[in-house]
Amino acid sequence: DQQVKQNSPSLSVQEGRISILNCDYTNSMFDYFLWYKKYPAEGPTFLISISSIKDKNEDGRFTVFLNKSAKHLSLHIVPSQPGDSAVYFCAATDSGYALNFGKGTSLLVTP
Amino acid sequence: DAGVIQSPRHEVTEMGQEVTLRCKPISGHNSLFWYRQTMMRGLELLIYFNNNVPIDDSGMPEDRFSAKMPNASFSTLKIQPSEPRDSAVYFCASSLTGGVQPQHFGDGTRLSIL
């Protein structure tokens, strides 16, 4: 039973434009959310996180937005660069150790 | 700055054989996790160790799977006997604590059981 869902398996964006990756969750106990980035043949790499006490967290070109009432979060990448092409995983936890991952969205940034 | 190190990177073996996957966590991290990634189920947690002690093994699929952490710098995940449905990418991750700390992943072991 998937508690974290990334409904778009893939996304294609032009270089320089905004990439928006979406994630929905069902468990209202989740209070900490993370985004990971994964290149082929490598492990996931932590990108950015957000606590449920915030609705936005920014780190350089990456911003995560959290809408608790909608149980929805999104990752914005501005401007998108070809090196951002990767699979992005959303993960959530109820402040414990167990990360519940979505199945990922494959982002392709084209020149 | 060494990250999480997993070996082997690839393993191909025949059904029924014993498979041992190895992991060296980041030095100073006291939490270690084993995950399995498949197309059907995505990334799922198999087992979590804290200070070398297994805390949660509810994700271990069957008794054929076992994991150990004999010391702070080494862990193994063993499958015996292996079956074709065990084919997947297995990741090891570590974190400073078991709480809301980002987990750092190794590059995984791609396991193929023929």
Side-chain angles (χ1 to χ4, degrees), chain B residues 49-95:
Chain B
F49 290 88
N50 185 259
N51 290 322
N52 312 338
V53 176
I55 303 299
D56 182 359
D57 65 355
S58 60
M60 296 286 264
E62 301 171 33
D63 291 345
R64 298 184 297 106
F65 285 69
S66 63
K68 293 183 180 179
M69 191 164 186
N71 56 62
S73 59
F74 184 66
S75 176
T76 59
L77 177 67
K78 189 172 290 188
I79 309 173
Q80 165 65 13
S82 57
E83 297 183 3
R85 61 194 167 120
D86 302 330
S87 298
V89 182
Y90 291 80
F91 289 102
C92 176
S94 69
S95 68

Side-chain angles (χ1 to χ4, degrees), chain A residues 2 31-32 34 36 38 41-46 49 89 93-103, chain B residues 9 33 35 37 39-43 45 48 55-56 91 98-108:
Chain A
Q2 204 78 14
D31 58 4
Y32 191 71
L34 307 92
Y36 281 80
K38 184 183 180 303
E42 294 184 9
T45 303
F46 170 70
S49 62
F89 291 96
T93 182
D94 56 357
S95 294
Y97 52 85
L99 289 181
N100 297 270
F101 283 90
K103 290 191 174 180
Chain B
R9 290 298 312 276
F33 309 82
Y35 287 87
Q37 184 185 27
M39 290 292 290
M40 286 292 292
R41 300 175 66 88
L43 266 166
L45 177 66
Y48 159 55
I55 303 299
D56 182 359
F91 289 102
V100 286
Q101 292 281 338
Q103 296 174 17
H104 301 263
F105 284 75
D107 286 338

